[in-house]
Amino acid sequence: MSDATATLTAPRRALTGRLKAALVLFVLFALMPPLAAALNDPFYVLIGTRILAFAIAAMALDLILGYGAMVSFGHAAYLGFGTYAVAILASWGVNDLMLQILAAIAISAIFALVTGAISLRTKGVYFIMITLAFGQMAFFFFISLSAYGGDDGVALMQRSTVLGMDLLKSDFGLYYTTLAILVALFVLCHRIVGSRFGRVLTGIRENPTRMEAIGYSPFRYQLTAFVISGCITAVAGVMLANQAQFVSPAFMSWHRSGELIVMVVLGGVGTLAGPIAGAVAALLLEEWLGALSEHWKLFFGVFLVLMVLFSPRGITGLLEKAGIARRQE
């Protein structure tokens, strides 16, 4: 095979590898509720739904972090927009899931468009700090909303409905609905990454000056990706609100943004399927270590440091070393 042919086929092999890895994860996700039923422990379904929601958010962040080299430290703001879209619309008597998702996407798109247009005028650590600042602005805005509990948050009286039906009333219905949304959004992100838009975005990540020289506008492509990522994260917030049946500004604090970055790094940056696995690993470790010690964050930090030192590509890198996954060029 010639070098030129290898160069053309390498991205396709990488995309195929992502699909296979994601397929395995989705099958395992689908099998968890029956396993929880067999063990007579519904807690696994609740924590599983939480994992799926954060997997959506981590995958959305990976779209800009892994493919656009945009390290956003305020991405949890969009998670908060999704949760508050549920709470605010529910207080107005609007409980339909699709309407809540559309509202969350609309406000997130506007916020991402405005803040992204400003943030992308900067680079490096300045971009990180300005996204953090915008995220904290949103955080303190919702703290000031005393009508919705302020800092204490507000409990939801019921879960969202789907076309007037209480499909999400049962934990199993909520779980499989969240899984279906995760699968659909993964397919969307997969198509974006494999499209001409995704290839240009990756090129901008590698060498923005060269991409601009051949006629592409890095600003427009990065801003578009930033908006798409924010909208997908808002969908995760909608499902997270239904899982917790509680909404508070804590969902959009900078600590939460840091947790999303940890999930992406732990799973493997720029892989899509990796951050999903990273969300699983991070939240399960949180549960298991939390049950062992109140100082679980210390042990989690040690684990993360060891992972970064010995496998910079995270879980994906470990699978590559084991020969289970194909390395992406």
Side-chain angles (χ1 to χ4, degrees):
M1 179 182 296
S2 67
D3 291 341
T5 304
T7 301
L8 290 173
T9 57
R12 295 181 181 178
R13 290 200 303 267
L15 290 174
T16 302
R18 278 194 293 266
L19 282 176
K20 290 180 179 178
L23 181 60
V24 171
L25 284 171
F26 296 150
V27 170
L28 292 176
F29 283 144
L31 293 176
M32 191 168 59
L35 178 61
L39 296 174
N40 195 28
D41 193 344
F43 172 76
Y44 289 113
V45 178
L46 288 174
I47 189 62
T49 306
R50 178 179 171 84
I51 289 172
L52 293 175
F54 274 103
I56 295 172
M59 180 181 65
L61 179 59
D62 187 44
L63 187 63
I64 61 170
L65 196 159
Y67 296 92
M70 292 175 277
V71 184
S72 172
F73 227 95
H75 225 60
Y78 305 104
L79 203 64
F81 291 149
T83 59
Y84 273 96
V86 176
I88 294 173
L89 289 180
S91 69
W92 295 345
V94 180
N95 291 307
D96 186 77
L97 180 68
M98 294 308 300
L99 292 178
Q100 291 170 346
I101 288 177
L102 289 175
I105 289 175
I107 187 64
S108 295
I110 295 172
F111 186 81
L113 186 63
V114 174
T115 61
I118 298 172
S119 302
L120 287 170
R121 303 291 180 182
T122 63
K123 303 292 181 183
V125 68
Y126 303 104
F127 178 85
I128 296 173
M129 295 307 297
I130 199 168
T131 56
L132 172 61
F134 281 126
Q136 288 301 99
M137 286 170 59
F139 171 74
F140 286 111
F141 171 78
F142 282 100
I143 282 182
S144 69
L145 292 182
S146 57
Y148 298 98
D151 193 22
D152 295 325
V154 59
L156 300 179
M157 300 303 295
Q158 66 179 63
R159 287 176 177 168
S160 304
T161 59
V162 181
L163 300 177
M165 299 178 289
D166 291 328
L167 296 181
L168 309 185
K169 186 175 183 179
S170 72
D171 294 336
F172 286 88
L174 176 62
Y175 179 92
Y176 280 115
T177 301
T178 309
L179 177 57
I181 292 174
L182 172 61
V183 173
L185 291 176
F186 175 84
V187 172
L188 173 63
C189 290
H190 173 77
R191 294 294 297 272
I192 291 173
V193 170
S195 67
R196 176 175 174 271
F197 174 85
R199 293 193 294 273
V200 172
L201 188 65
T202 303
I204 293 170
R205 177 195 67 188
E206 298 298 328
N207 195 323
T209 303
R210 182 175 296 176
M211 294 302 294
E212 190 170 13
I214 61 176
Y216 294 103
S217 171
F219 178 82
R220 287 192 300 173
Y221 280 88
Q222 288 181 315
L223 181 59
T224 301
F226 194 83
V227 172
I228 293 172
S229 178
C231 292
I232 294 175
T233 306
V235 176
V238 171
M239 303 315 297
L240 192 60
N242 278 281
Q243 184 271 334
Q245 291 190 268
F246 176 78
V247 171
S248 81
F251 283 114
M252 58 200 314
S253 70
W254 70 270
H255 302 88
R256 191 70 69 188
S257 295
E259 290 173 3
L260 292 178
I261 293 176
V262 167
M263 292 174 190
V264 175
V265 173
L266 186 59
V269 178
T271 59
L272 291 184
I276 297 175
V280 175
L283 293 177
L284 288 183
L285 281 171
E286 178 182 332
E287 291 294 328
W288 292 337
L289 293 176
L292 295 175
S293 171
E294 62 179 3
H295 305 294
W296 66 270
K297 291 184 179 180
L298 173 63
F299 300 108
F300 184 82
V302 172
F303 171 80
L304 185 61
V305 169
L306 292 175
M307 177 65 77
V308 172
L309 287 175
F310 295 102
S311 181
R313 289 175 58 80
I315 295 173
T316 302
L318 291 177
L319 295 177
E320 290 169 353
K321 290 179 181 178
I324 298 175
R326 184 189 299 273
R327 182 176 178 82
Q328 297 181 42
E329 302 297 338

